[in-house]
Amino acid sequence: MADPTTGPTADPATDPAAALYRTVALVRGFEQRAVELVRAKVVPGGIHPYTGQEAIAAGTCAALRPDDVITSTHRGHGHVLAKGADPARTMAELAGRTTGLNRGRGGSMHAADFGVGVLGANAIVGAAVPIAAGAAWAFRRAGSDRVALSYFGDGAVSQGVVLEAFNLAALWRVPLVLVCENNGFATSMRTADTVAGSILGRAAAFGIPARTVDGTDPEAVRDATAEAVARARAGGGPTLLECTAYRFDAHHTWEHTARPRYRTDEEVAAGRARDPLEIQGARIPAATRAAIDAQVAELLDRAVRFACEGPHPDPATALDHLYATGMRARAGVR
Amino acid sequence: MPKLSYLKALNRAIGDEMDRDEAVCVFGEDVGVAVTHATAGLLKRFGPDRVLDTPISEQAFTGFATGAALAGLRPLIEFQIPALLFLVFEQIANQAHKFSLMTGGQTRVPVTYLLPGSGSRESWAGQHSDHPYSLFAHVGVKTVVPATPADAYGLLATAIRDDDPVVVFAPSGALGVREDLDPAALVPVPLGVGRIHRSGTDVTVVAVGHLVHDALAVAEELAGTVSVEVFDPRTLFPFDWSGLAASLERTGRLVVVDDSNRTCGIGGEIIATAAEEMRLIAPPRRVTRPDGAVLPFARELDLACQPTRAQLRAAVEKAVGAG
Ligand SMILES: Cc1ncc(C[n+]2csc(CCOP(=O)(O)OP(=O)(O)O)c2C)c(N)n1
């Protein structure tokens, strides 16, 4: 078979393989920069790095339309970027600047961009699944064929609210794609130690079609998502995709200092060996890959600069946006 | 004397109570590797029958603890973040809390709910920064907010021994506090008994949790001009009303500083009770989070929603000036 990496260069604007690689590279680079900015204390509060799981965000979003929506998790930057949010404004949000996606009010765990269909990252495990289901149902009710896609971790499948959402979505044939990112862990706990039965079995109980997908392969994820999205658009109801991957980095950046021991260096090295960046990189011409890498690096340089240059919000505006009507809350002192 | 940190004090209280009473067991997420440090070493010491890592199933394991308690155990549940109390409010307020009365006293529910890191951790944003102790006092669940390592030890030990459900809020702003302490001096502290950290004659400052340390700093700043008494209720429900009344007999002026939202916050209850039943010679004042506050992410906005020393100082000066 011909080696795709030695072929003529491909344009990510028109070549799907190159486009997928670009998203994976963007998310990987973004996470690395964000971790650096946490260490430099530009990003307060820390982040949950998505490194190793990029193929899931890239593959799923490649199968969605711009007018479809997603809900995300505490580990959400990858989803937000893959759905099309501006990396510079996303980074500015992590840095708590007024130029951020949420004007510095949400930060890493709540990054949202309604303009590109991101209904918000959510810091309560499992909480966004019924939210996505409700949005999807509303689309159907309005007569459109838009779909919603909800990301959640393997830890979330033990949340009652997730299973209750499965029931509603299946019962009412809601156009929803359920994406369980099984990265092997819920903080320190292994999936096998927290999930009785299986993740697919939970979907089966509600009559929801489900399959396991290699979540390190962007194209496998994209193809599986495309099928699920087609079913949803056609009125076939929800589908569950369990995307398996390995979390390369810490659960959260506090782990860089606290270092709880729950996995060995050998295990991490073995997990890192299946790298979505390499898997997708091997599918495109080397020159294309180099060009994309350079373009992404420059984009991220600009994003970091934009984030650092953004103004800090004025403390007097701390509760702006608390009420949609503009109602002002009473201050804590008078 | 050795320095004892607040977190270590919590850890020691759990270990000591597990040693003392076989019925004490621990549930929570990642308690095995002790991501919050409060459960450090317990799995190794007591084994997986007494220290259980739970799936992310807060509603279920909170109700599960109620069942285990009905069957004779004394569970302690650790929650990683205070907002999880909103998820399990039903299990605590509607189940655990109501069992004793609804069964005509046939049973009791000795469960302790421990929140190591309540309130703002600075830039953990909207869903990780709540400090919902007023809600539990409102429904009448025993509610504890220790300010110092010795009180953290003593109140947690008492909570574990208590036959009712007790929520123990360890404010993140207090976790770093250290104290010179002889470990032998660590003893249980009764619920419902306040502590005067500093006596004074002009004004009583009631401070909750980590704000005790701010109140002490303000009292020190004002030492030349105003004599401030710092009263730490230590438990918000039951509340040491007679201790507060005695303090107001001396000072007649009241300022409350409380890191919860203003409307229906514990600060309002303290002021209302004082106004109804106690000696006040000047209008009382309170310093709280704003109404309905959701803590924004950016550091300066997060801080802007929490009571500050400057606000407390101004409130004390106003209270005294108004006398
Ligand atoms: C309901 C709830 N419980 C606990 C937490 C604390 N917490 C944050 S992330 C996490 C682990 C989540 O695991 P998983 O769903 O597998 O997602 P992953 O972190 O692996 O991406 C926990 C326990 C939370 N945020 N929400």
Side-chain angles (χ1 to χ4, degrees), chain B residues 2 5 7 9 16 45 59 84 88 128 134 201 313:
Chain B
S5 80
L7 260 179
D16 286 357
R45 211 163 126 199
Q59 279 251 78
L84 299 184
V88 302
H128 277 63
S134 294
T201 50
R313 185 185 163 130

Side-chain angles (χ1 to χ4, degrees), chain A residues 48-50 53 73-75 109 122-127 152-157 159 181-189 191 247 251, chain B residues 29-30 56-58 80-81 84 87 127-128:
Chain A
H48 298 82
Y50 191 64
Q53 301 176 226
T73 69
H74 56 285
R75 200 180 300 290
M109 287 191 284
N122 200 306
I124 302 300
V125 169
F152 51 95
D154 46 285
V157 303
Q159 275 289 323
E181 300 193 83
N182 184 351
N183 62 10
F185 295 91
T187 312
S188 73
M189 288 182 290
T191 311
R247 165 159 60 72
H251 169 70
Chain B
E29 287 150 15
D30 309 292
I56 308 176
S57 304
E58 290 85 8
Q80 285 178 357
I81 51 178
L84 299 184
L87 271 71
Q127 291 173 335
H128 277 63

Side-chain angles (χ1 to χ4, degrees), chain A residues 7 20 35 37 48 55 73 80 84 101 106 113 118 135 159 169 175 215 220 232 250 293 300:
Chain A
L20 272 179
V35 170
L37 291 185
H48 298 82
T73 69
V80 174
L101 290 176
D113 187 348
V118 180
Q159 275 289 323
D293 286 345
L300 291 172

Side-chain angles (χ1 to χ4, degrees), chain A residues 294-305:
Chain A
Q295 191 219 5
V296 163
E298 202 204 304
L299 184 71
L300 291 172
D301 284 346
R302 265 190 281 134
V304 169
R305 236 178 297 127

Side-chain angles (χ1 to χ4, degrees), chain A residues 91-332:
Chain A
M91 195 67 91
E93 186 56 35
L94 267 52
R97 309 303 168 104
T98 58
T99 45
L101 290 176
N102 311 14
R103 304 181 171 96
R105 271 57 180 188
S108 166
M109 287 191 284
H110 303 296
D113 187 348
F114 279 64
V116 298
V118 180
L119 304 192
N122 200 306
I124 302 300
V125 169
V129 183
I131 295 173
W137 177 81
F139 292 154
R140 264 284 287 292
R141 190 170 171 275
S144 95
D145 68 345
R146 295 166 73 186
V147 307
L149 182 150
S150 184
Y151 300 98
F152 51 95
D154 46 285
V157 303
S158 301
Q159 275 289 323
V161 73
V162 171
L163 303 179
E164 292 178 33
F166 281 15
N167 189 50
L168 290 182
L171 194 64
W172 295 337
R173 292 178 83 81
V174 159
L176 177 68
V177 181
L178 298 156
V179 177
C180 177
E181 300 193 83
N182 184 351
N183 62 10
F185 295 91
T187 312
S188 73
M189 288 182 290
R190 287 171 192 275
T191 311
D193 295 333
T194 64
V195 177
S198 69
I199 292 171
L200 295 188
R202 281 158 165 66
F206 298 98
I208 296 175
R211 58 185 275 210
T212 301
V213 183
D214 177 358
T216 62
D217 180 342
E219 297 189 353
V221 173
R222 179 197 56 204
D223 296 347
T225 309
E227 258 178 55
V229 167
R231 177 180 298 126
R233 287 208 210 287
T239 304
L240 172 77
L241 303 175
E242 177 197 12
C243 299
T244 52
Y246 191 81
R247 165 159 60 72
F248 285 10
D249 205 335
H251 169 70
H252 181 272
T253 42
W254 60 258
E255 221 177 286
H256 292 276
T257 45
R259 303 210 170 279
R261 294 294 293 175
Y262 55 88
R263 52 188 195 174
T264 62
D265 296 342
E266 297 74 53
E267 183 191 322
V268 176
R272 281 176 165 267
R274 250 196 96 67
D275 186 336
L277 193 69
E278 296 310 320
I279 290 171
Q280 195 59 25
R283 292 181 176 141
I284 59 172
T288 303
R289 183 173 175 175
I292 291 173
D293 286 345
Q295 191 219 5
V296 163
E298 202 204 304
L299 184 71
L300 291 172
D301 284 346
R302 265 190 281 134
V304 169
R305 236 178 297 127
F306 179 81
C308 292
E309 282 164 3
H312 291 273
D314 174 356
T317 66
L319 289 181
D320 280 9
H321 317 292
L322 179 58
Y323 297 99
T325 53
M327 185 176 93
R328 305 302 302 186
R330 208 167 43 143

Side-chain angles (χ1 to χ4, degrees), chain B residues 61-128:
Chain B
F61 65 67
T62 303
F64 192 91
T66 301
L70 298 182
L73 296 182
R74 308 187 79 84
L76 174 138
I77 303 179
E78 186 201 67
F79 294 101
Q80 285 178 357
I81 51 178
L84 299 184
L85 288 172
F86 298 137
L87 271 71
V88 302
F89 201 64
E90 199 280 325
Q91 290 296 332
I92 298 177
N94 216 20
Q95 306 294 337
H97 176 55
K98 292 181 176 175
F99 247 92
S100 180
L101 181 135
M102 291 194 306
T103 60
Q106 294 178 65
T107 192
R108 49 195 168 188
V109 183
V111 182
T112 304
Y113 313 92
L114 175 64
L115 283 299
S118 188
S120 166
R121 299 186 220 190
E122 262 189 51
S123 291
W124 280 54
Q127 291 173 335
H128 277 63

